[in-house]
């Protein structure tokens, strides 16, 4: 009979090793699909369309788990892929980043097949725990969720509430640092001027926005980003292992840390906007 490991043993040592010739991960991530999109779309957007400038990339850990937390915007947000590309392009030790996504995508045949292949995982605490603690991966979350992507242009760069601090609880449980990110440019890349509620209900979309290119250019207009210049600032990591045993049970502490990270990102956004001389150049 096989002997089970002692309780004190780090069970992560018993995870199966990564097969060198394997091109699809346990999460459905495909190196072939991701590589194709990277060469044909991400490369062009990152270097030539959005002309991304990156600061503080050294704040992303070179190994071990870490939770990346960013502001979120745009009718069809381009910020996630640009952050993933920044880690790949600018970091001294490029690492894959997993992105938590809304459960809405599971009901869409196209997105439900594509999103996992480019690093998306359903936004569930168990998935985040496994990635951060067991697999020691980088995970990107947007605490604003759909509230951030559906806000109107007149409310640009005003952060929505970060929920109940679920991302802080996840980082505490996994004992990994939180790396806040402030990103400027996505609000102008695909601004939303209004929402059409009847068409939202008719189509079943999360929202039916009016943008500079949608709906008057059809579905192709949903991919029509304006060439706003992106600036991505990775801030100093926030450790989560200094509050003693099981700090996630202290709801007041979790909410306070969440509010502090939100305020920190908001302050950085205002600073970046004050220094920005042009949206496009």
């Amino acid at each position: 009979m096989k002997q089970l490991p002692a309780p004190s043993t780090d069970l992560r040592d018993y995870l199966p090793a990564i097969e060198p010739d394997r091109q699809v991960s346990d999460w459905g991530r495909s190196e072939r699909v991701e590589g194709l999109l990277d060469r044909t779309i991400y490369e062009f957007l990152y270097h030539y369309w959005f002309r991304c400038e990156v600061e503080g990339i050294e704040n992303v850990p070179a190994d071990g788990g870490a939770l990346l937390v960013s502001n979120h915007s745009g009718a069809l947000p381009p910020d996630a892929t640009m952050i993933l590309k920044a880690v790949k392009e600018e970091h001294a030790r490029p690492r894959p980043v997993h992105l938590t996504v809304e459960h809405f995508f599971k009901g869409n045949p196209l997105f439900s097949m594509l999103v996992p292949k480019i690093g998306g995982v359903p936004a569930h605490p168990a998935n985040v725990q496994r990635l951060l603690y067991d697999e020691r991966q980088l995970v990107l979350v947007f605490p604003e969720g759909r509230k951030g992507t559906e806000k109107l242009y007149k409310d640009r760069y005003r952060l929505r509430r970060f929920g109940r601090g679920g991302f802080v609880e996840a980082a505490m449980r996994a004992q990994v640092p939180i790396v806040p990110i402030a990103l400027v440019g996505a609000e102008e890349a695909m601004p939303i001027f209004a929402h059409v509620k009847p068409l939202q209900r008719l189509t079943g979309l999360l929202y039916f926005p009016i943008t500079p290119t949608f709906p008057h250019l059809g579905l192709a207009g949903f991919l029509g980003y304006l060439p706003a210049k992106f600036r991505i600032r990775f801030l100093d990591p926030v450790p989560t292992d200094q509050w003693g045993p099981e700090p996630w049970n202290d709801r007041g502490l979790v909410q306070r840390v969440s509010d502090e990270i939100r305020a920190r990102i908001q302050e950085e956004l205002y600073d970046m906007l004050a220094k920005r001389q042009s949206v496009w150049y």
Side-chain angles (χ1 to χ4, degrees), residues 2 19-20 26 46 49 65 97 126 136 140 173 176 182 191 217 225 229 239 241 254 272 276 279:
K2 186 176 180 180
E19 302 167 34
D26 290 341
Y46 185 85
W49 196 252
V97 181
R136 301 173 182 172
L140 173 63
R173 288 181 179 274
V176 299
L217 294 183
Y225 293 119
K229 183 172 179 58
D241 57 357
V254 170
M272 295 167 74
R276 182 171 69 169
V279 172

Side-chain angles (χ1 to χ4, degrees), residues 2-15:
K2 186 176 180 180
Q3 184 177 2
L4 295 175
S8 60
T9 302
D10 190 342
L11 298 180
R12 287 175 294 194
D13 295 336
Y14 290 86
L15 289 173

Side-chain angles (χ1 to χ4, degrees), residues 20-87:
D21 57 344
R22 189 177 181 186
Q23 295 188 345
V24 179
S25 72
D26 290 341
W27 300 95
R29 188 172 199 154
S30 170
E31 291 186 8
R32 183 172 59 85
V33 173
E34 191 173 23
L36 176 63
L37 292 176
D38 183 73
R39 293 188 301 271
T40 58
I41 299 178
Y42 302 162
E43 186 81 9
F44 171 75
L45 291 177
Y46 185 85
H47 288 290
Y48 304 107
W49 196 252
F50 296 136
R51 293 146 289 135
C52 296
E53 286 186 4
V54 178
E55 302 175 50
I57 191 65
E58 67 277 1
N59 290 320
V60 178
D63 52 42
L67 191 65
L68 312 184
V69 179
S70 176
N71 57 303
H72 204 25
S73 55
L76 188 63
D79 43 23
T81 52
M82 293 301 100
I83 292 173
L84 270 59
K85 182 68 172 173
V87 175

